[in-house]
């Protein structure tokens, strides 16, 4: 049986790993100097992890772009077909 005391991964590492994979997949493109693909995806991951809206995730972060900018970047950047996603 495995011991649970040997686990040394934390939420920051998981966030970095997931963000790296999503950025490498190039699902979202940069949408301005403040609304880069990494920022948009990071805010989206934060919202998903905390079960909050994009708007609430943007409000939580001091230097985040507006929620409308993030939603526009997602709408314009993400593929419209489910197969690609």
């Amino acid at each position: 049986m495995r011991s649970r005391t040997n686990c040394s991964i934390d939420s920051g590492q998981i966030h970095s790993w997931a963000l790296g994979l999503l950025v490498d997949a190039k699902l979202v493109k940069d949408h301005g100097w403040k609304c880069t693909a990494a920022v948009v995806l990071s805010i989206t991951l934060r919202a998903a992890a905390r079960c909050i809206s994009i708007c609430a995730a943007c409000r939580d972060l001091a230097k985040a772009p507006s929620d409308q900018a993030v939603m526009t970047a997602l709408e314009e950047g993400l593929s419209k077909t489910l197969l690609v996603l």
Side-chain angles (χ1 to χ4, degrees), residues 15-76:
H15 178 83
S16 296
W17 175 76
L19 183 60
L21 287 175
L22 289 170
V23 168
D24 289 345
K26 297 182 184 194
L27 295 174
V28 178
K29 296 174 182 68
D30 290 345
H31 195 267
W33 64 272
K34 191 174 183 181
C35 205
T36 64
V39 169
V40 170
L41 292 170
S42 186
I43 290 171
T44 305
L45 285 174
R46 180 182 181 85
R50 299 183 73 205
C51 295
I52 59 175
S53 66
I54 296 288
C55 181
C58 289
R59 275 194 316 250
D60 286 350
L61 302 171
K63 296 184 180 186
S66 69
D67 58 329
Q68 186 59 49
V70 173
M71 293 299 287
T72 301
L74 286 171
E75 183 180 359
E76 290 178 2

